[in-house]
């Protein structure tokens, strides 16, 4: 049956699939896979690959497998498997019952290797790693054949079996494909396909002392699972002839085919597991799920939504050449989604106490406020007002610059959803810093629009001191100070932004969010989007992560100090 592409999304990979379907290649089947190695948490680059592989399967009525590419025991673990499963589900994708492990194919892969030996296409080589490199030649020089290249099939079978049974030390022998030492593509110069490595595997334990190399295991795992389109990143382009060679030697009938696309690079961060592991292990961040990390776990904890990440992946598209995507685009996608779904509340990050002198002590009233300005379905909440309030320190200026519209000596401002207040006097501490304002309120201005027709330009947010809840708020900035830290000459950690985390411990938020569940997201009016931290927040003592500011951070930095 021929599937049709009925989604508007298209790119060069989908065009290849369309063509394959036209010629009824693979009997019209589309089978992809996402093949993470469980040696770290997945990052936003992986999300691009996940959206592509699962997205294609959904679009063409095909399947996408989750396959753990766990053929190298070093650094692999069950913790990583579990985190990857969890993060992909969170992103909104599902593989039904098709979760596979390349380590489950070890026996099959071993038999494939024996088959290659029997057809004279593989041999056991005793050269060590340095010698193999020397014999390999270079771009300009052909390789030299290994002195072990012409061993008999029987001798190879015997040695390979003894490699498996653990008779030899690590590195004493390797199994190599017997291809062509003069091949222009160096990868084809008798690549190593098996090595001896005594290391406990997190799934197979000590059952194996030989492990297949990526190039051998990956294409055959694809073939075993009946994958049709094996989509990977560009760095494997040179390995494609080897991929094809192995499946042509060993697989009858439909063979999987590899197609490469450009990996995602994102500005002001690093997207490579090696670099991320370094940040975690050296304690440069608080762990894989540190909200500054470009990992799915980090973004999730920070408060990014799955939909925002999926939209981002759709918007960046799939191309054949590497580029650097602006972090601002990802933040834009997050903002766009949260603008729609996050209820509004008021919170004050850097509080300044305000006493309303003409408001009776002990009195309180409530204002009914919309949870979302455009979406009445999100309902309303009651926000208490009383004599003592907190406003943002920034929203008062003793000596206001030109266009300053907020509170200043003798001036009026509207409290969001509430009254107009007028500044009367202020209290300073011994250092001369303003610590308290005294204001009066105008009872006739309850709820906008002002009944007296008076125009008050500034509107500021506030909370009632008696009713609010104190909270910790964590503000995040770029993790690195330069757009492409991995591309610089110095060690990338040199470029870490020392101010990437600012913790504010005496913030006040509307009491309604006091017991908000971990992961709940809000817009703090005028400030940005905030998410209840899933690790450190406790009922009654909320901790919020700022997901994104309301506007582009840089726009905001440029604006800082100008007053709004
Ligand atoms: P890293 O380079 O971060 O160590 P990796 O490629 O070694 O990543 P794997 O677990 O092997 O990590 O990757 C699983 C899949 O995700 C592969 O198909 C790989 O091509 C893809 N992938 C990895 N990084 C990116 C990226 N930055 N953009 C798009 N796809 C990626
Ligand atoms: Mg890898």
């Amino acid at each position: 049956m021929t599937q049709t592409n009925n989604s508007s999304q298209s790119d060069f990979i989908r065009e290849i699939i369309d063509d394959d379907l036209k010629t009824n290649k693979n009997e019209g089947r589309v089978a992809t896979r996402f093949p993470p190695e469980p040696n770290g948490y997945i990052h936003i680059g992986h999300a691009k690959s996940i959206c592509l592989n699962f997205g294609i399967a959904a679009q063409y009525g095909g399947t996408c497998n989750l396959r753990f590419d766990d053929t190298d025991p070093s650094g692999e673990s069950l913790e990583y498997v579990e985190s990857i499963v969890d993060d992909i589900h969170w992103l909104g994708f599902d593989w039904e019952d098709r979760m596979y492990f390349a380590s489950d194919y070890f026996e099959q892969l071993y038999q494939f290797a024996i088959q290659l030996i029997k057809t004279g296409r593989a041999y056991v080589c005793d050269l060590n790693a340095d010698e193999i490199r020397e014999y390999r030649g270079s771009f300009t020089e052909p390789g030299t054949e290994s002195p072990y290249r012409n061993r008999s099939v029987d001798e190879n079978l015997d040695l390979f079996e003894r490699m498996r049974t653990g008779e030899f030390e690590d590195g004493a022998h390797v199994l190599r494909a017997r291809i062509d030492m003069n091949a222009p593509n160096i990868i084809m110069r008798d690549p190593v396909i098996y090595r001896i490595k005594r290391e406990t595997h997190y799934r197979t334990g000590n059952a194996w002392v030989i492990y297949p190399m990526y190039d051998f295991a990956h294409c055959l795992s694809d073939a075993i699972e009946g994958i049709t389109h094996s989509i990977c990143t560009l760095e494997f382009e040179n390995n494609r002839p080897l991929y094809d060679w192995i499946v042509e030697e060993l697989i009858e009938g439909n063979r999987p085919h590899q197609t490469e696309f450009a990996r995602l690079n994102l500005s002001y961060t690093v997207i490579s597991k090696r670099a991320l592991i370094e940040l975690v292990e050296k304690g440069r961040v608080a762990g894989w799920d540190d909200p500054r990390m470009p990992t799915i776990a980090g973004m999730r904890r920070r408060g990014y939504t799955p939909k925002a990440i999926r939209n981002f992946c759709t918007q960046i598209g799939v191309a054949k050449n590497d580029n650097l995507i602006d972090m601002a685009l990802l933040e834009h996608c997050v903002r766009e989604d949260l603008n729609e779904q996050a209820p509004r509340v008021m919170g004050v990050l850097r509080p300044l106490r305000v006493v309303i002198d003409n408001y009776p002590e002990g009195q309180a009233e409530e204002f009914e406020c919309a949870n979302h300005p455009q979406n009445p379905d999100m309902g309303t909440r009651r926000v208490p007002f009383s004599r003592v309030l907190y406003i943002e320190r920034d929203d008062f200026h003793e000596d206001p610059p030109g266009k300053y519209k907020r509170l200043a000596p003798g001036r009026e401002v509207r409290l969001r959803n509430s009254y107009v207040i007028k500044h009367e006097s202020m209290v300073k501490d011994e250092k001369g810093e303003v610590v308290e304002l005294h204001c009066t309120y105008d009872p006739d201005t309850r709820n906008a629009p002002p009944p007296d027709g008076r125009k008050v330009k500034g509107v500021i947010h506030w909370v009632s001191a008696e009713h609010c809840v104190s909270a910790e708020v964590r503000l995040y900035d770029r993790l690195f100070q330069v757009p492409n830290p991995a591309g610089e000459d110095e060690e990338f950690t040199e470029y870490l932004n020392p101010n990437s985390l600012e913790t504010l411990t005496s913030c006040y938020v509307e009491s309604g969010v006091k017991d908000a569940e971990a992961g709940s997201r809000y817009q703090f009016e005028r400030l940005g989007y905030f998410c209840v931290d899933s690790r450190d927040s406790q009922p009654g003592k909320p901790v919020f992560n700022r997901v994104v500011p309301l506007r582009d951070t840089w726009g905001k930095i440029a604006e800082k100090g100008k007053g709004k």
Side-chain angles (χ1 to χ4, degrees):
M1 187 186 75
T2 305
Q3 303 285 346
T4 47
N5 174 0
N6 48 20
S7 154
S8 58
Q9 204 174 338
S10 192
D11 50 57
F12 80 95
I13 295 183
R14 286 166 164 95
E15 279 167 18
I16 290 172
I17 295 175
D18 289 334
D19 288 344
D20 290 346
L21 290 174
K22 275 185 209 135
T23 59
N24 203 33
K25 196 170 167 187
N26 305 302
E27 289 90 41
R29 265 184 332 113
V30 175
T32 60
R33 84 286 171 268
F34 173 66
E37 182 177 2
N39 61 350
Y41 280 58
I42 52 171
H43 50 59
I44 184 76
H46 293 117
K48 176 177 177 181
S49 175
I50 291 166
C51 290
L52 181 62
N53 280 293
F54 283 94
I56 283 174
Q59 186 175 335
Y60 291 92
T63 51
C64 178
N65 297 353
L66 171 60
R67 180 200 318 139
F68 288 96
D69 210 337
D70 55 355
T71 53
D72 177 359
S74 318
E76 295 176 354
S77 79
L78 201 59
E79 179 201 341
Y80 293 137
V81 168
E82 285 165 358
S83 75
I84 292 168
V85 161
D86 200 36
D87 285 344
I88 304 175
H89 273 150
W90 178 82
L91 276 172
F93 298 101
D94 188 48
W95 45 88
E96 296 168 329
D97 57 353
R98 295 179 314 277
M99 175 160 94
Y100 301 118
F101 293 84
S103 55
D104 284 346
Y105 309 144
F106 279 164
E107 182 60 38
Q108 260 169 295
L109 295 170
Y110 177 77
Q111 295 302 332
F112 275 128
I114 287 181
Q115 217 175 306
L116 274 191
I117 294 174
K118 286 184 175 164
T119 54
R121 298 303 216 163
Y123 62 98
V124 172
C125 182
D126 306 358
L127 297 180
N128 65 33
D130 288 338
E131 289 164 336
I132 288 178
R133 204 171 307 119
E134 271 168 43
Y135 277 67
R136 190 175 291 142
S138 65
F139 284 117
T140 48
E141 283 170 54
T144 310
E145 293 190 354
S146 160
Y148 306 99
R149 197 173 198 261
N150 295 315
R151 276 179 162 147
S152 70
V153 169
D154 284 344
E155 192 185 357
N156 281 319
L157 286 174
D158 174 60
L159 285 170
F160 188 50
E161 190 184 336
R162 287 158 64 196
M163 280 171 66
R164 176 186 182 161
T165 52
E167 204 174 300
F168 308 118
E169 278 171 30
D170 290 16
H173 301 280
V174 290
L175 185 70
R176 299 176 68 175
R178 195 168 185 276
I179 308 179
D180 179 3
M181 288 309 289
N182 293 319
N185 181 348
I186 296 175
I187 286 172
M188 299 299 276
R189 296 184 187 169
D190 291 10
V192 173
I193 56 176
Y194 261 94
R195 65 196 155 152
I196 305 171
K197 185 167 182 169
R198 275 180 185 71
E199 202 167 314
T200 306
H201 188 279
Y202 76 103
R203 290 186 85 241
T204 58
N206 297 319
W208 293 86
V209 295
I210 55 170
Y211 291 98
M213 305 299 287
Y214 172 87
D215 283 320
F216 188 69
H218 197 87
C219 55
L220 292 172
S221 303
D222 283 344
I224 290 167
E225 292 175 17
I227 300 303
T228 57
H229 297 83
S230 179
I231 302 166
C232 67
T233 33
L234 275 179
E235 68 269 24
F236 294 106
E237 199 169 13
N238 288 338
N239 302 52
R240 189 176 353 122
L242 179 54
Y243 186 109
D244 290 341
W245 185 90
I246 295 171
V247 294
E248 274 160 31
E249 288 294 330
L250 293 168
I251 304 298
E252 303 282 332
N254 288 339
R255 295 175 181 135
H257 188 76
Q258 173 180 304
T259 305
E260 310 85 19
F261 69 100
R263 62 194 295 117
L264 168 66
N265 301 303
L266 197 60
S267 63
Y268 294 92
T269 189
V270 286
I271 305 189
S272 110
K273 265 186 282 186
R274 185 194 57 77
L276 297 176
I277 288 171
E278 189 174 332
L279 292 177
V280 171
E281 286 184 348
K282 289 194 174 157
R284 311 303 291 263
V285 292
W288 285 102
D289 68 350
D290 186 306
R292 293 166 294 181
M293 288 280 270
T295 52
I296 301 306
M299 293 182 169
R300 193 173 157 175
R301 182 170 165 202
R302 168 101 165 238
Y304 286 20
T305 63
K307 186 176 167 196
I309 294 177
R310 292 196 306 263
N311 286 347
F312 168 73
C313 290
T314 306
Q315 287 195 23
I316 57 176
V318 183
K320 262 262 173 211
N321 20 30
D322 275 313
N323 60 355
L324 187 65
I325 302 286
D326 194 337
M327 179 71 99
L329 179 62
L330 177 57
E331 294 184 340
H332 165 78
C333 293
V334 172
R335 223 173 264 128
E336 205 172 47
D337 188 27
L338 290 182
N339 179 42
E340 259 176 45
Q341 55 159 284
R344 275 51 173 170
V345 296
M346 290 193 284
V348 174
L349 300 189
R350 296 175 179 87
L352 176 61
R353 201 176 133 93
V354 176
V355 180
I356 311 292
D357 289 330
N358 60 342
Y359 197 86
E361 241 167 289
Q363 186 176 312
E365 65 188 291
E366 285 181 336
F367 290 90
E368 180 145 353
C369 304
N371 289 331
H372 195 286
Q374 283 93 40
N375 184 358
D377 290 348
M378 286 175 70
T380 60
R381 68 192 188 285
R382 303 188 74 80
V383 177
F385 179 92
S386 65
R387 182 179 156 89
V388 182
L389 313 172
Y390 291 114
I391 65 166
E392 210 68 62
R393 192 158 276 283
D394 262 11
D395 283 338
F396 172 75
H397 214 300
E398 206 184 337
D399 181 18
K403 287 184 179 158
Y404 195 78
K405 295 194 195 99
R406 295 167 277 166
L407 206 54
R411 291 202 194 166
E412 286 190 328
V413 76
R414 176 171 288 280
L415 296 176
R416 172 93 175 129
N417 296 313
S418 170
Y419 297 111
V420 171
I421 58 168
K422 181 167 182 248
H423 175 270
E424 303 290 347
S425 64
M426 65 195 118
V427 180
K428 291 185 178 179
D429 64 10
E430 61 280 4
K431 282 181 269 165
E433 234 179 88
V434 178
V435 291
E436 185 176 281
L437 301 182
H438 284 261
C439 296
T440 48
Y441 85 113
D442 180 347
D444 291 340
T445 56
R446 195 181 201 279
N447 291 333
D452 55 3
R454 194 168 31 166
K455 285 213 178 80
V456 180
K457 279 193 190 137
V459 181
I460 65 174
H461 58 274
W462 55 276
V463 292
S464 161
E466 187 189 328
H467 304 93
C468 65
V469 52
S470 64
E472 177 175 317
V473 172
R474 299 169 183 172
L475 304 178
Y476 301 102
D477 198 350
R478 307 279 190 261
L479 186 51
F480 288 90
Q481 294 169 292
V482 295
N484 187 10
E488 301 286 338
D489 294 339
E490 307 290 320
E491 166 67 359
F492 73 96
T493 52
E494 298 283 313
Y495 299 95
L496 277 163
N497 175 5
N499 304 314
S500 57
L501 167 63
E502 184 182 3
T503 303
L504 304 173
T505 51
S506 48
C507 311
Y508 295 110
V509 193
E510 276 180 30
S511 61
V513 304
K514 191 165 87 183
D515 301 320
E517 271 177 49
S520 318
R521 306 176 185 93
Y522 298 91
Q523 184 193 99
F524 288 6
E525 296 203 49
R526 300 177 63 227
L527 297 176
Y529 296 98
F530 293 78
C531 178
V532 180
D533 189 75
S534 53
R535 258 185 206 281
D536 301 331
S537 204
Q538 286 169 27
K541 283 178 154 181
V543 175
F544 287 94
N545 296 311
R546 184 168 68 187
V547 191
V548 274
L550 280 188
R551 274 173 292 270
D552 183 271
T553 332
W554 292 348
K556 219 166 181 184
I557 288 169
E559 213 149 295
K560 226 181 202 170
K562 274 195 205 163
K564 275 175 286 168

